[in-house]
Amino acid sequence: MICKDNIHFPDHMRVAIIGAGPAGLGVARVLRDLAIPDVWVLERGKVGQSFLNWPSGTKLLTPSFAGNVFGMTDLNAISFDSSPGWSLRREHPDGLAYAQYLEHAAVAFGINVQCGVEAQSILPEGEGFALVTNHGQFTADFVIWACGQFSAPSDGDLPGAELAIHYGQVRNWQDVPGEEVFIIGGYESGIDAAIGLARAGKHPIVLDSGAPWLGGDKDPSKSLSPYTLQRLDEARETAPITLIPDAEIIALDQEQDGIHILAADGRSWLSTNTPILATGFGSGTAPVSEYFDYDDNGSPLLSSQDESAVFPGLFLVGPEVSHNGHLFCFIYKFRQRFAVVARAIAARMGVDTSPLEIYYENNMFLDDLSCCDDDMCLC
């Protein structure tokens, strides 16, 4: 294991990265390529903790394939010279396998990672920051927030949500009680829940305000992935999965005979078992929300260098990065912004940024967002 129980990082760091998932480790690797000293990744759990917390059977939506030698980096790799597809021998790794890839990458890249450290708050101090943690206070010149969203399940402000269990809190679908289980929400997590429950011998019933399984946006960040649709079709060949569209759920109500699931159009369903909330995830920036402004969709407002619009020196990497409606929620998307953040920090430190050229060559340096316009895939 890369993380030890003893805490041994310095009192002052040049760069503190909060979170040891693909975003935190990926940007740490870029900073290492720039030879920036005293870069530390602080993780409250273990390397890849969010992936370790995934429900059993959940897999990455994007396929892994070792095409690096042809200039095509593995979609799930955090660097241009690694491939979870090759090292794990899996096309769609599950959470446990992907966490193993991340730990191996941290070791191979020589990244300083300290586990068991929870960043509780960030305070301005001089030209840098003071980090308040469960192991005391430390200082840093720059902070990169890389906490992701899986640890922030959202109930969508649904009245009665406490009567259900969130998708992100389930570890094994076999452990969900009952035979008939209602799922509120039909996007990726909702359909993944349905597949997991069906394979566990249960009858999942999915309620969604639309019908994501019938089609959607060409942007894979806004629609069901082909892999999910394929898995759904395969599961429905051998197990009952009921999909109910146009069901906008407005409340859960505890009655003597069970939990009533109420829809806006007056329909209701009686659940004798605990429903599953597949209502998405909130912001991973919640612990430092006072240092970010947010748009109407709840996305952090960032500069062109993915820096907080109100707190210079605080950067964001990971699935919450968004610019002009362009979402960077998949690994292959948000990794293209690592070099943007690294360049900004290096420039302020007077460090030569020419080593970043290799990231351009490997399509891992996206600083011109005009290429993201939705003018393709018209068929």
Side-chain angles (χ1 to χ4, degrees):
M1 298 291 290
I2 187 174
C3 290
K4 309 298 182 182
D5 292 333
N6 56 311
I7 306 301
H8 57 84
F9 49 84
D11 291 339
H12 179 77
M13 312 165 198
R14 299 303 298 272
V15 183
I17 302 171
I18 313 302
L25 297 177
V27 74
R29 160 63 193 276
V30 184
L31 292 170
R32 192 216 67 175
D33 286 348
L34 291 171
I36 293 177
D38 297 323
V39 176
W40 283 83
V41 179
L42 307 182
E43 167 58 52
R44 65 182 177 183
K46 299 178 180 179
V47 170
Q49 186 65 60
S50 291
F51 295 91
L52 294 173
N53 291 343
W54 273 11
S56 177
T58 298
K59 299 182 179 182
L60 270 69
L61 303 178
T62 44
S64 281
F65 189 83
N68 308 54
V69 293
F70 299 102
M72 297 177 290
T73 302
D74 187 320
L75 289 179
N76 297 314
I78 62 172
S79 68
F80 59 85
D81 54 357
S82 68
S83 169
W86 180 84
S87 60
L88 298 175
R89 302 173 65 180
R90 298 289 186 275
E91 186 175 28
H92 291 274
D94 62 13
L96 177 61
Y98 195 72
Q100 292 173 344
Y101 157 73
L102 293 176
E103 183 167 358
H104 294 161
V107 172
F109 300 152
I111 297 172
N112 295 320
V113 181
Q114 182 60 64
C115 297
V117 180
E118 180 175 2
Q120 299 169 336
S121 64
I122 300 175
L123 304 172
E125 184 173 284
E127 296 183 356
F129 305 90
L131 293 174
V132 180
T133 78
N134 59 331
H135 288 279
Q137 184 168 305
F138 310 91
T139 58
D141 295 331
F142 300 94
V143 173
I144 302 176
W145 197 261
C147 287
Q149 295 175 279
F150 192 79
S151 61
S154 171
D155 62 14
D157 296 324
L158 180 68
E162 69 277 3
L163 301 173
I165 182 172
H166 194 276
Y167 167 88
Q169 298 171 311
V170 177
R171 295 297 171 264
N172 292 289
W173 297 111
Q174 293 88 344
D175 297 337
V176 175
E179 179 179 347
E180 184 178 84
V181 182
F182 283 89
I183 302 167
I184 300 170
Y187 277 88
E188 293 293 352
S189 59
I191 299 302
D192 184 64
I195 295 168
L197 289 166
R199 290 178 174 172
K202 303 176 187 295
H203 175 200
I205 303 172
V206 180
L207 305 171
D208 192 88
S209 58
W213 47 84
L214 295 180
D217 198 288
K218 294 186 289 295
D219 184 347
S221 302
K222 303 176 183 178
S223 61
L224 290 177
S225 70
Y227 184 57
T228 298
L229 292 171
Q230 173 187 321
R231 293 174 66 224
L232 176 61
D233 289 341
E234 292 171 350
R236 296 185 78 185
E237 290 178 357
T238 57
I241 297 178
T242 301
L243 304 174
I244 301 178
D246 304 320
E248 180 185 353
I249 305 306
I250 58 173
L252 302 181
D253 189 20
Q254 180 71 66
E255 300 288 347
Q256 186 174 0
D257 53 353
I259 299 171
H260 283 253
I261 304 173
L262 310 176
D265 59 7
R267 286 180 294 169
S268 66
W269 295 266
L270 175 64
S271 176
T272 56
N273 302 300
T274 303
I276 304 294
L277 288 182
T279 43
F281 296 86
S283 175
T285 63
V288 290
S289 59
E290 61 187 302
Y291 300 124
F292 286 95
D293 279 342
Y294 297 82
D295 64 19
D296 293 339
N297 296 318
S299 297
L301 292 173
L302 304 172
S303 73
S304 61
Q305 301 175 119
D306 294 353
E307 187 173 14
S308 166
V310 296
F311 210 59
L314 173 61
F315 295 83
L316 179 67
V317 293
E320 279 190 83
V321 173
S322 175
H323 288 283
N324 301 322
H326 302 309
L327 303 177
F328 290 83
C329 56
F330 282 117
I331 294 169
Y332 73 86
K333 288 187 172 187
F334 64 67
R335 73 184 181 192
Q336 295 182 93
R337 302 293 293 177
F338 295 161
V340 174
V341 171
R343 180 180 61 184
I345 292 174
R348 294 178 201 181
M349 295 175 61
V351 172
D352 177 23
T353 60
S354 60
L356 295 178
E357 184 62 31
I358 194 170
Y359 287 87
Y360 274 120
E361 296 171 359
N362 286 277
N363 297 314
M364 285 188 63
F365 198 154
L366 180 61
D367 56 355
D368 179 5
L369 297 178
S370 64
C371 69
C372 300
D373 292 336
D374 187 14
D375 58 358
M376 298 182 290
C377 304
L378 297 180
C379 59

